[in-house]
Amino acid sequence: MKIVVAFPPGSSTDIVARALSVPLSEALGQPVVIENKPGAGGNIATVGVARSAPDGYTFLMHSVAYAVNPSLYSKAGYEVGKDLTAVALAAVSPNILFVHPSVKAQTLPELLALSRTEKLSYASSGNGTTTHLGAELLFRNLAKVEVQHVPYAPASAANAVVSGQVPLGSTSIPPVVQLAKAGKVRAIAVTSLKRSGALPEVPTVAELGYAGFEANTWFALFAPQGTPEEILQRVNAEINRILQTRGVSEGFAAQSLEAIRMDRATLETYMASEARKWAGVVQLTGAKVD
């Protein structure tokens, strides 16, 4: 069994895939090999797996970018729900807004007020990521403020704020947790509907006046359309069981990831709703990457 990872080694998607691969191999009684195939925001791996034989031996580990890319790219090469089928959700992590300690704003309302009197900019984890699209949705479309976007590589965005290159950051939460605890940045708000266990004192955007606001990063396993249902159900059941084990759940928590179990039918509905949601955000923001 091969799991093709849509992003490079060391990425959050890769970490999730490797955390599941060993216990999944033990459960299925066969080797599980990880193959990283980054490129085009994950589209290269996605199209490659979609064209693979639907025999239950090739799977794809992807992030929320799977649901975003068909709207973001003029030719992503696949359609959500058509070319692949969702097998199992693995983990969810909120994004987070944070500032350099020198920024006067202590809260999100204060930050938005400051942006109306000063020219601010924010670092994201890259064009078209949920850290970019979610921030644009909040700033430009909901709060009606202008904050200049400065895209960085995922591993560099948080450090850009720490060094003072950019006053504000919008990234996934894992690289920010220890920086916030050390006082190197000030966490302003998380983008999940509920507070993160990694930084429970940080409020959500939703509770600060933007009800329903949610811009999470999730990680899920997919298979080529036409893969036998009995195989999909078996893998779904095994992953849901693995996610409950102490080693995996605690390992995810250490990475600021929350293990999430979901049955196949619910997952397919969730993927369709995510694709619709992010298509709307892309349209609102006018974001394009090609």
Side-chain angles (χ1 to χ4, degrees), residues 243 245-257 259:
L243 292 173
T245 61
R246 184 174 180 180
V248 170
S249 62
E250 290 185 352
F252 279 7
Q255 297 287 334
S256 304
L257 301 168

Side-chain angles (χ1 to χ4, degrees), residues 59-60 66 79-89 218 220-227 229 232-233 235-236 239 262-272:
F59 292 81
L60 170 73
Y66 167 81
E79 292 182 34
V80 172
K82 179 180 178 182
D83 298 294
L84 295 106
T85 185
V87 181
L89 188 63
W218 48 255
L221 191 71
F222 301 86
Q225 195 67 253
T227 301
E229 186 61 31
L232 302 177
Q233 292 289 356
V235 175
N236 174 274
I239 288 180
M262 196 175 286
D263 63 71
R264 283 243 313 126
T266 304
L267 181 57
E268 287 285 11
T269 300
Y270 178 69
M271 288 297 157

